[in-house]
Amino acid sequence: EALRMVKMSASADKVWSLRDYRSIALPAAAPRNSSAYVDFLREELHRFCRSEKKLRIWVVMSAARVDVRHIRIPVVSGSQIEKAVYWTVKKESPFDEKESVFDFEVLSEVLEQGMPKLAVMAYIAPREEVEQIKHLFFRTGIPLAGISIAPFAIQNIFRSGWISDHEKTVANLFIGTDFSRIDIISRDNLVMSRDIKAGTNSMIESLMEALNERMEKHTDPSVEKAPVSMDLARRILVRLSADSPP
């Protein structure tokens, strides 16, 4: 629904700070592959960045189709790590390199049944979606430094030390329109990310059905009553938020 832009900068001692934030509604009549959308993106990015130099622009893509896996491999030399990770993931979950982008991060050395192993987070993203995003920014004439997903952004909040007073293990729940996601952060590392095939639409449908069923049971049949619609159920759900007016 919106283009959300965040500007960060790091000090000489590598401490990150938030410099600016802006949210602009997306043009409803402009599909993402249209020239109007490209012009909108270019204009808003230039307005937000102004005359900043040495900017590195990252974009967050949907995490719904990104497969994040946690594996352990034997402790091997640096040049062998990539091969070990690749074949371990390939064995557990075969993927086509032509249709996927594969990457990984070594987290730490751990003990497994008394044997040292390397804990690794690997991820597989759909190449088509990645290429579409890259092409979109290519059309704007603004170079793109990289693409990430929300669970990694949440991980960065903990790694940066911005949230320092917290338990060693934290759960973050995202509730979307059609799907939700739970992320588990342990010792500042993302150790699990799972999609849930239910979101606010599922809640709204359940709420609508329950309210209509209650009205049928407890309302005087002689009194004319209008059934609860999806729109009304949606407004009721939104009002349950602590940020909504009573």
Side-chain angles (χ1 to χ4, degrees):
E1 296 176 350
L3 170 66
R4 297 179 178 90
M5 298 175 288
V6 178
K7 191 183 296 182
M8 310 281 296
S9 65
S11 60
D13 53 355
K14 298 294 178 69
V15 176
W16 287 90
S17 61
L18 175 65
R19 290 183 52 195
D20 201 359
Y21 167 82
R22 191 172 299 168
S23 180
I24 297 108
L26 294 177
R32 182 168 290 191
N33 60 352
S34 66
S35 297
Y37 188 94
V38 172
D39 292 341
F40 160 80
L41 187 59
R42 182 192 301 113
E43 182 180 333
E44 293 301 337
L45 282 169
H46 279 305
R47 181 179 291 121
F48 183 67
C49 298
R50 296 191 181 94
S51 59
E52 297 277 357
K53 296 180 180 179
K54 296 182 180 180
L55 275 177
R56 291 173 49 91
I57 298 178
W58 282 72
V59 63
V60 172
M61 65 179 279
S62 170
R65 295 177 61 202
V66 178
D67 184 11
V68 180
R69 292 182 169 270
H70 287 81
I71 61 171
R72 292 182 177 182
I73 62 169
V75 177
V76 293
S77 62
S79 60
Q80 296 298 312
I81 290 176
E82 185 173 350
K83 289 181 180 179
V85 172
Y86 174 84
W87 288 112
T88 302
V89 174
K90 191 86 168 177
K91 183 178 179 181
E92 291 183 0
S93 179
F95 62 93
D96 187 343
E97 293 88 342
K98 294 180 180 178
E99 297 180 357
S100 307
V101 174
F102 174 75
D103 204 352
F104 68 92
E105 178 187 355
V106 177
L107 299 178
S108 62
E109 186 172 316
V110 295
L111 286 177
E112 186 177 88
Q113 297 179 346
M115 295 291 292
K117 293 284 186 77
L118 291 179
V120 178
M121 179 171 64
Y123 26 99
I124 306 165
R127 185 175 295 277
E128 181 182 8
E129 193 168 341
V130 171
E131 293 299 332
Q132 286 175 354
I133 295 172
K134 287 170 64 178
H135 184 64
L136 173 64
F137 277 81
F138 174 78
R139 290 174 64 190
T140 65
I142 300 171
L144 193 61
I147 301 172
S148 192
I149 56 175
F152 297 161
I154 294 166
Q155 174 182 249
N156 284 348
I157 294 175
F158 289 92
R159 286 184 173 182
S160 67
W162 278 21
I163 302 178
S164 55
D165 184 21
H166 62 83
E167 299 294 331
K168 290 181 180 178
T169 302
V170 177
N172 175 72
L173 175 63
F174 163 78
I175 301 176
T177 304
D178 299 307
F179 83 100
S180 302
R181 188 187 66 250
I182 185 166
D183 302 315
I184 306 295
I185 310 287
S186 182
R187 299 182 185 275
D188 300 336
N189 287 324
L190 178 71
V191 296
M192 191 192 84
S193 183
R194 291 287 182 273
D195 290 339
I196 304 164
K197 294 180 179 178
T200 54
N201 281 346
S202 303
M203 296 182 190
I204 291 163
E205 288 175 8
S206 298
L207 184 60
M208 179 184 70
E209 292 170 4
L211 290 173
N212 284 326
E213 185 179 334
R214 178 180 293 183
M215 280 202 302
E216 289 291 335
K217 287 182 178 179
H218 301 290
T219 305
D220 187 339
S222 63
V223 178
E224 186 176 348
K225 53 187 178 296
V228 175
S229 64
M230 283 285 286
D231 181 62
L232 178 57
R234 186 184 306 277
R235 284 186 281 141
I236 292 171
L237 184 67
V238 169
R239 287 300 180 93
L240 294 177
S241 167
D243 298 326
S244 295

